[in-house]
Amino acid sequence: MRQIIIIGSGPAGYTAAIYAARANLEPLVIASSVEAGGELMNTTEVENFPGFPDGIMGPDLMAKLQVQAEKFGAEVLYDDVVSLELDGEVKKVRLGSGETHEARSVIFATGSAYRKLGLAEEEHLSGHGLSWCATCDGFFFREKTIAVVGGGDSAIEEATFLTRFASKVYVIHRRDQLRASKIMQNRAFENDKIEFVWNSEVVSINGESAVTGVTLRDTVTGEERDLALDGLFVAIGNDPRTHLVHGQLDLTPAGTIAVDGRSSKTNLPGVFAAGDVIDPTYRQAVTAAGSGTVAALDAEHYLAALDQTEREALSLAN
């Protein structure tokens, strides 16, 4: 039986693995067979992760984190978790291969997924003018013309943030009014760099090797027209990957896993959560990595206390 199993292989999962491995807990990392490395595997250059002043490609950063975790004794398994039994002292993790692994503790670090538009072009233009994170990529669009898709708080916040860099920011929304809070709407309406494109949906993203614009359809008349752009940001929400723990772990109103204060402790003893799956606000690689550190330390302390209790029980029995 394992001391610890880490589910997820993004910055939170691998950072937790580094700390757990250095504590001689020999963690098993379930990295997924198709999404190993998390969302950073779909990005190009990462310039805001500490320690890389010249930037680093997303896949290269994840590869380095994996190598570092394995260097200290973590084992990485490329398979998919299909079900979990997290109650009780022994946690059971069932995989798509049919194997079941048992552990005394589990760190759940499956991240979240940005909602996509459902267009074929999203696959090959991701990281080439198409982004889901203004904080991550806004810097690359200095004095450019860009657009943000969405009408909620996150879309208006991203559009406002992007005006620090871009010369023009369109906000494309399917309706004729926003869902964002009034204070955020007012800030956007007062910003000269922001122009709203109402009653419009993106039906295609144009460009072969980089985004050159979008084709819009009027949601009232059905008319289509092209809008020239240097970049497109999609801000229609994201979904924490929590389906495996529904009915077992408590969730917040935002749909993330609920933890105790600043810790990683969930409602079940020996089960910890880290990264974007507990964070509806920041969703950055560096904050996820810090969260993975917390989870590994919490798990280490939990296991140490469990060992102490078992030693005391054995001593009393003798």
Side-chain angles (χ1 to χ4, degrees), residues 239-282:
D239 298 302
R241 294 188 175 103
T242 59
H243 61 282
L244 288 168
V245 298
H246 287 179
Q248 297 190 73
L249 299 184
D250 292 342
L251 303 180
T252 69
T256 54
I257 295 174
V259 293
D260 182 13
R262 296 183 64 188
S263 79
S264 66
K265 300 174 185 177
T266 69
N267 57 295
L268 293 180
V271 181
F272 308 90
D276 287 3
V277 80
I278 69 169
D279 177 14
T281 305
Y282 300 105

Side-chain angles (χ1 to χ4, degrees), residues 117-196:
L117 298 171
L119 302 175
E121 301 87 14
E122 287 177 289
E123 188 67 30
H124 73 274
L125 289 176
S126 176
H128 300 280
L130 175 61
S131 174
W132 284 263
C133 180
T135 308
C136 309
D137 300 327
F139 180 81
F140 299 112
F141 293 89
R142 287 189 177 278
E143 300 305 314
K144 302 290 186 181
T145 299
I146 59 179
V148 175
V149 182
D153 280 351
S154 60
I156 303 308
E157 183 177 3
E158 297 228 327
T160 303
F161 174 80
L162 288 166
T163 59
R164 301 181 187 181
F165 310 101
S167 58
K168 180 78 170 182
V169 179
Y170 292 100
V171 175
I172 301 169
H173 188 40
R174 292 173 53 88
R175 301 176 181 84
D176 60 359
Q177 57 184 352
L178 301 171
R179 292 178 287 105
S181 62
K182 288 298 181 182
I183 188 169
M184 295 187 70
Q185 289 189 43
N186 291 337
R187 288 173 185 166
F189 290 145
E190 293 170 1
N191 194 314
D192 293 337
K193 285 189 176 182
I194 295 177
E195 180 177 334
F196 289 87

